[in-house]
Amino acid sequence: MPRSNYQKVKLLYLAKIFSEKTDESHGLSTQELIQALAQYDIAADRKTIYQDLEELRQFGMDIISDHQGKMYYYKLVSRDFELPELKLLVDSVQAARFVTESKSRSLVKKLESLVSVYDAKQLHRQVILSGRIKTGNENIFYSVDTIHAAINTNVQITFQYFQWNLKKEMELRHDGAWYHVSPWALIWDDEWYYLVGYDHDNAEIRHYRVDKMIHLELTDLPREGEEAMKEANLPQYSNSLFGMFTGEPQDVTIVCENKLIGAIIDRFGTEAHIRKLDDTHFQAVVHVMASQPFLGWVFSLGGGAKITAPEPLVEAMREETKRLMEQYL
């Protein structure tokens, strides 16, 4: 039997019922609200329900009444997140490689709790779309949180770094040596999280994939490398990397057919130095880390793109072309 001493929490449970059981397409009658409260051992009658509804509206809940035949149905019609917004968030969680499968399920479940049980089914249908390869490192969320804490408190971090071997096992790099880094930023590139920081052992800016960092800890030492970070120009540094591979930073001149202008701007932004050469070609000067993935990216543009400077990179492109021809003969 419902107990009257639960009345103090009645409004909380009523708000929960509206959030879970109603939306723009689904409402509950007064009797249904009374029955729903009874499941939590809370007594209610029509008169008190009307008073409760008014108090919830004054609190800010957008509860409206819908007249259907002889009955009135009450429903919560607006929330902090709209359904299309949550679908976008669910898709992002499911697509993110740096989020493990179990964490994806947990996050999606929490997102589902922000809508009614009816709309949650639509979010669940989004989940089935994903079959992506994801990280197996369950600690990545805590690693990201620790890195942010280090940045906010201006301290260095220490961690070990691993790679995969042919047995599909995690293998510590450098025989398990500890890395000592001053963290300065996190970058999301090619669907992975990367830490950009000042490497103390090598006295230079480097980046590390966060899901491959383990045993991450804060230290008491203040961060270093501020001047190096300023010189690196973080947005430019991030934009110059291809597949997060390092290489020699340099200005590269590429002559392209006009149809490739979109590809250049998509990759380097409108700040790229672009000059018209003739009616069908333009020249782009871009600042990049001249790595193997960069050469591969230029190859992917087909015959409409050609590196013309600097000469060492042109020669590297010739050597790469020769290597590919020999490899596939």
Side-chain angles (χ1 to χ4, degrees):
M1 178 179 294
R3 291 176 283 183
S4 58
N5 63 342
Y6 276 29
Q7 296 300 303
K8 292 181 180 180
V9 294
K10 182 171 71 170
L11 281 178
L12 295 176
Y13 278 106
L14 197 56
K16 174 181 171 67
I17 291 166
F18 271 108
S19 296
E20 294 179 350
K21 309 279 188 187
T22 74
D23 53 39
E24 290 187 0
S25 303
H26 303 85
L28 294 173
S29 67
T30 306
Q31 187 58 38
E32 288 171 330
L33 289 170
I34 293 172
Q35 294 172 352
L37 284 170
Q39 294 180 3
Y40 296 106
D41 288 341
I42 298 175
D45 55 41
R46 290 181 178 274
K47 182 178 180 181
T48 58
I49 284 291
Y50 295 141
Q51 294 174 345
D52 293 333
L53 291 178
E54 185 57 34
E55 290 182 10
L56 289 177
R57 291 189 184 106
Q58 291 179 8
F59 179 68
M61 296 186 71
D62 191 8
I63 299 172
I64 67 169
S65 60
D66 185 15
H67 192 195
Q68 299 178 22
K70 295 183 179 181
M71 298 286 293
Y72 278 93
Y73 293 86
Y74 301 90
K75 52 192 178 183
L76 180 64
V77 294
S78 65
R79 301 166 188 265
D80 291 338
F81 289 94
E82 297 178 7
L83 185 59
E85 293 174 330
L86 288 173
K87 286 182 177 179
L88 179 64
L89 291 175
V90 166
D91 286 345
S92 299
V93 168
Q94 287 299 124
R97 290 178 180 268
F98 67 87
V99 183
T100 63
E101 287 288 354
S102 60
K103 181 59 73 172
S104 290
R105 289 192 294 270
S106 173
L107 288 173
V108 170
K109 195 69 177 176
K110 292 176 181 179
L111 291 172
E112 288 176 357
S113 70
L114 299 177
V115 293
S116 70
V117 292
Y118 311 103
D119 283 344
K121 294 178 181 178
Q122 296 191 49
L123 295 181
H124 182 67
R125 284 199 292 270
Q126 300 287 317
V127 176
I128 335 176
L129 298 176
S130 174
R132 315 268 334 255
I133 296 172
K134 287 173 167 282
T135 180
N137 185 354
E138 288 284 351
N139 292 321
I140 185 170
F141 275 82
Y142 306 105
S143 295
V144 169
D145 188 57
T146 300
I147 291 169
H148 278 301
I151 292 173
N152 292 334
T153 55
N154 197 40
V155 297
Q156 299 176 24
I157 59 173
T158 182
F159 57 90
Q160 291 175 298
Y161 206 52
F162 75 84
Q163 60 190 5
W164 295 104
N165 62 25
L166 294 179
K167 297 179 181 179
K168 301 180 182 178
E169 299 170 336
M170 289 168 39
E171 185 176 83
L172 291 176
R173 300 187 64 176
H174 302 310
D175 297 321
W178 288 84
Y179 290 64
H180 302 277
V181 176
S182 290
W184 287 97
L186 283 165
I187 294 177
W188 190 0
D189 184 89
D190 195 25
E191 304 186 67
W192 298 108
Y193 252 132
Y194 291 86
L195 162 68
V196 178
Y198 183 75
D199 185 293
H200 298 275
D201 295 331
N202 296 282
E204 63 182 9
I205 300 298
R206 290 193 173 183
H207 56 268
Y208 311 85
R209 223 171 83 179
V210 177
D211 62 295
K212 293 188 175 182
M213 300 164 61
I214 59 174
H215 305 139
L216 176 62
E217 296 178 359
L218 301 176
T219 73
D220 296 327
L221 301 173
R223 284 190 303 172
E224 298 178 10
E226 184 174 3
E227 289 302 316
M229 281 301 304
K230 288 180 179 178
E231 292 177 7
N233 187 331
L234 187 57
Q236 187 180 58
Y237 175 86
S238 173
N239 208 35
S240 68
L241 295 169
F242 276 77
M244 297 305 287
F245 279 77
T246 55
E248 182 184 351
Q250 56 190 289
D251 290 328
V252 178
T253 302
I254 311 174
V255 173
C256 303
E257 293 179 359
N258 289 345
K259 65 181 180 182
L260 294 176
I261 184 63
I264 296 296
I265 291 179
D266 285 346
R267 186 60 184 82
F268 299 102
T270 55
E271 292 76 22
H273 298 288
I274 294 172
R275 179 171 67 88
K276 179 179 177 180
L277 294 180
D278 54 42
D279 291 339
T280 57
H281 295 82
F282 68 91
Q283 172 184 285
V285 179
V286 297
H287 189 77
V288 300
M289 299 286 190
S291 61
Q292 196 78 13
F294 170 67
L295 299 183
W297 179 79
V298 176
F299 270 119
S300 73
L301 298 178
K306 179 181 179 181
I307 296 175
T308 60
E311 183 56 34
L313 198 59
V314 175
E315 182 59 30
M317 200 66 159
R318 293 193 188 104
E319 290 298 321
E320 183 65 11
T321 304
K322 180 181 178 181
R323 182 191 66 80
L324 288 171
M325 289 180 63
E326 293 174 350
Q327 182 172 338
Y328 288 97
L329 283 178

